[in-house]
Amino acid sequence: MAASMARTCRYTSRHGSCILPRLTSLCLTFRSKFHCSPSAHTGLLFSLNKRGVLKESFPENAAQDQLPRLLQSGAQTVYCGFDPTADSLHVGNLLAIIGLLHFRNAGHHVLALLGGATAQIGDPSGKTSERERLSVGTVETNTHSIRDSLQRIFTNHELHFKDGSRTLGTFTVLNNQSWYKDWKVVDFLSEAGRHFRMGTMLSRHSVQSRLKSSDGMSLTEFTYQVFQAYDFHHLNQVYGCKIQLGGTDQLGNLMSGHEFIHKVSGEEVYGLTIPLVTSSIGDKLGKTAGNAVWLNRDKTSPFELYQFFLRQPDASMEGNLKLFTFLPLAEIERLMEQQREDPAKRLAHKRLAAEVTKLVHGKEGLESAKRCTKALYHSSVEALEEMSDEELQELFREAPFHELLLEPGTTVIDACRKADAIPSGPKGYRMVSEGAVWINHKRTENPEQVLIPKLHILSNGLTLLRVGKKNFYIIKWLSL
């Protein structure tokens, strides 16, 4: 499998730019008119629409005949952009990735475009103020991290979710810095800029909302739609890409790309939008909103990702299973029937959390999430013993971690004091004797008790110390 993935994945430099603002009269919702095409009822677009992965298409006729016929005529190339404005993607980007995976699983070729150039400009879509300018070094670091993350997710999909009866399309990561680095600003404006009209650019929702704000909009941000449009044109000319995926907040940028390509080459291209991932109160999830659930382990652990999906509201469970998993719709329906028969078992929640965690972090990540869940919520000593130092530190992210020398005769009170878990003097001693201290999920009330292997010190050399209800300390014991 790994060798197969290496053959089908081609990694070239990198880019980022997402795609697409608000629904206009030129946009057609799939739900209302996509069913007009009889041939589409068994096609990929019909399936994605039933799952809720697709929201709108552009231009108007794309959802009826042209796009379904194009996809059925042979393997096509689809792209989605990701600006490396942080060193990790987040759950808000996950649906776009899943959209690409659906296309790849159907045999189409997919491009993930990382915005090494456009990240330094900043997409104004959905933003109330201008992004902080990023240095070239920061963008390069972020780009490398996101490229690795995308490769991991696509590899996990091929290993654990691939439809064995189908041949996957190729997966390529690009960086738009590779084609902008040699452009001179005057040459670029002379060639590309003449095809854009100020009235159209000013009418975009992302521009209008910012112009009405107290901060206004910089020229840099205003030109973002020009660069994203040129990206689509470049991918169309070099890779034959005719389809762009993006969130519903990116429609204006997608429309700019369609109009630019139509003027320059006359090629017919299409845009597909996907739903925005929002919180339970309707806020968009992401870095700007400050509520991101990250896809990189060093920022959000597999356990934290698992718990995020495990805690989703009951009412959103069926929709989330359709959006975030590759389970057949019939299986989702059976799962929801089981959920309705016995809600307390939370079978749908557990399956959703497991499927997403396995996609993002692989089987090892899912096993780690389950170990952490047992250790924290089921007070499982066995799970604690199986955990690595990394997992313990991820599980108790705010807990101090101490490496201490295990000397003969070390007592409970010695361990607590060395970990700075209790006050010095009589007060700390009383806290232990009065039962305020727990070691490996077991209350200890004897301060002078010598630490006992397998009771106080687990087989992996770790001790989980808890003082009160929420104050955790992790001790890694080093032998003499």
Side-chain angles (χ1 to χ4, degrees):
M1 279 292 189
S4 172
M5 187 66 183
R7 289 194 298 271
T8 55
C9 295
R10 293 174 289 128
Y11 295 93
T12 316
S13 30
R14 355 195 229 288
H15 167 261
S17 84
C18 278
I19 334 162
L20 307 56
R22 172 183 306 178
L23 182 63
T24 72
S25 59
L26 293 176
C27 214
L28 184 68
T29 61
F30 277 93
R31 211 168 292 280
S32 60
K33 298 202 179 166
F34 181 69
H35 303 287
C36 292
S37 171
S39 63
H41 281 271
T42 58
L44 174 63
L45 296 182
F46 181 74
S47 173
L48 294 182
N49 178 52
K50 287 192 70 175
R51 301 186 77 97
V53 174
L54 297 181
K55 291 288 287 185
E56 301 100 21
S57 70
F58 182 86
E60 184 176 5
N61 55 15
Q64 299 181 53
D65 295 314
Q66 294 183 22
L67 186 52
R69 288 176 181 174
L70 177 67
L71 291 171
Q72 291 171 357
S73 68
Q76 301 301 317
T77 301
V78 184
Y79 103 88
C80 185
F82 306 91
D83 271 346
T85 54
D87 57 0
S88 172
L89 297 175
H90 49 76
V91 166
N93 304 119
L94 190 55
L95 269 188
I97 298 172
I98 287 174
L100 290 178
L101 288 169
H102 277 293
F103 275 94
R104 186 181 184 227
N105 199 49
H108 302 291
H109 308 304
V110 299
L111 307 174
L113 184 57
L114 303 184
T118 44
Q120 299 178 61
I121 296 172
D123 183 0
S125 303
K127 307 295 185 297
T128 57
S129 60
E130 189 167 1
R131 290 181 184 272
E132 182 180 346
R133 185 180 179 185
L134 300 175
S135 68
V136 174
T138 298
V139 172
E140 289 179 351
T141 299
N142 293 348
T143 300
H144 179 78
S145 178
I146 291 174
R147 185 182 62 214
D148 290 345
S149 181
L150 286 167
Q151 180 179 1
R152 181 185 74 247
I153 294 172
F154 272 78
T155 299
N156 288 337
H157 174 264
E158 182 168 349
L159 291 174
H160 307 305
F161 300 97
K162 176 182 177 292
D163 184 340
S165 64
R166 296 181 178 179
T167 300
L168 292 175
T170 59
F171 167 52
T172 307
V173 179
L174 301 169
N175 180 0
N176 63 4
Q177 179 64 28
S178 65
W179 54 83
Y180 286 122
K181 63 183 179 181
D182 297 324
W183 272 105
K184 294 180 180 179
V185 62
V186 173
D187 294 338
F188 180 76
L189 288 175
S190 176
E191 179 166 324
R194 68 180 63 254
H195 298 286
F196 291 84
R197 293 294 173 264
M198 289 295 297
T200 303
M201 294 176 68
L202 286 166
S203 70
R204 302 300 187 209
H205 174 69
S206 60
V207 175
Q208 284 293 310
S209 61
R210 287 293 300 280
L211 290 177
K212 295 174 183 177
S213 70
S214 58
D215 289 339
M217 172 180 270
S218 69
L219 174 63
T220 302
E221 287 183 300
F222 182 66
T223 63
Y224 186 91
Q225 57 183 295
V226 175
F227 285 92
Q228 185 163 319
Y230 186 84
D231 286 341
F232 199 178
H233 167 68
H234 177 87
L235 296 177
N236 174 254
Q237 294 298 300
V238 177
Y239 294 90
C241 178
K242 294 184 177 182
I243 304 167
Q244 184 181 20
L245 278 183
T248 54
D249 63 340
Q250 291 287 305
L251 183 58
N253 292 335
L254 184 145
M255 291 165 68
S256 295
H258 176 273
E259 293 163 2
F260 177 63
I261 292 171
H262 198 68
K263 288 178 180 178
V264 173
S265 66
E267 288 268 357
E268 190 62 68
V269 295
Y270 307 90
L272 300 173
T273 70
I274 55 179
L276 296 179
V277 181
T278 59
S279 68
S280 58
I281 59 174
D283 293 335
K284 178 181 175 181
L285 292 182
K287 178 174 68 70
T288 304
N291 56 2
V293 178
W294 303 98
L295 303 185
N296 280 11
R297 183 168 188 158
D298 60 344
K299 296 173 77 71
T300 298
S301 70
F303 165 75
E304 291 169 320
L305 182 70
Y306 182 89
Q307 290 297 321
F308 172 79
F309 282 95
L310 192 65
R311 293 168 180 162
Q312 292 301 299
D314 293 354
S316 65
M317 200 48 49
E318 183 173 2
N320 283 336
L321 284 166
K322 291 178 180 179
L323 288 171
F324 290 101
T325 79
F326 299 93
L327 297 174
L329 294 177
E331 185 173 348
I332 291 175
E333 181 56 37
R334 288 194 298 271
L335 190 58
M336 291 308 301
E337 288 178 4
Q338 294 173 337
Q339 175 96 344
R340 287 187 285 268
E341 290 172 1
D342 192 351
K345 288 185 176 180
R346 307 183 80 238
L347 296 177
H349 295 75
K350 293 175 182 178
R351 187 65 181 275
L352 172 67
E355 293 288 304
V356 176
T357 305
K358 187 164 60 173
L359 175 65
V360 176
H361 294 294
K363 282 188 175 180
E364 298 79 8
L366 175 57
E367 290 168 359
S368 173
K370 289 181 176 180
R371 276 195 298 272
C372 291
T373 298
K374 290 179 182 178
L376 183 62
Y377 295 119
H378 302 285
S379 299
S380 171
V381 175
E382 292 77 11
L384 279 176
E385 286 191 304
E386 294 174 357
M387 292 173 68
S388 64
D389 297 4
E390 180 186 31
E391 287 175 338
L392 265 177
Q393 291 180 73
E394 287 175 347
L395 181 58
F396 304 100
R397 196 173 289 276
E398 304 301 322
F401 183 88
H402 299 275
E403 290 188 332
L404 302 177
L405 190 63
L406 181 60
E407 299 174 339
T410 299
T411 63
V412 169
I413 193 71
D414 293 334
C416 292
R417 286 172 175 166
K418 288 180 178 181
D420 295 322
I422 59 174
S424 59
K427 183 178 180 180
Y429 195 94
R430 285 197 306 272
M431 288 177 67
V432 178
S433 60
E434 292 174 359
V437 173
W438 298 67
I439 295 180
N440 300 331
H441 296 313
K442 295 184 183 296
R443 189 193 298 271
T444 179
E445 298 178 351
N446 183 0
E448 303 298 340
Q449 170 71 60
V450 175
L451 298 184
I452 301 172
K454 295 186 179 180
L455 176 61
H456 302 110
I457 304 171
L458 302 176
S459 58
N460 54 5
L462 296 170
T463 294
L464 178 64
L465 183 65
R466 174 164 66 87
V467 179
K469 293 183 177 181
K470 297 181 179 179
N471 299 310
F472 289 94
Y473 303 82
I474 303 168
I475 301 174
K476 174 73 172 181
W477 295 103
L478 305 176
S479 301
L480 288 171

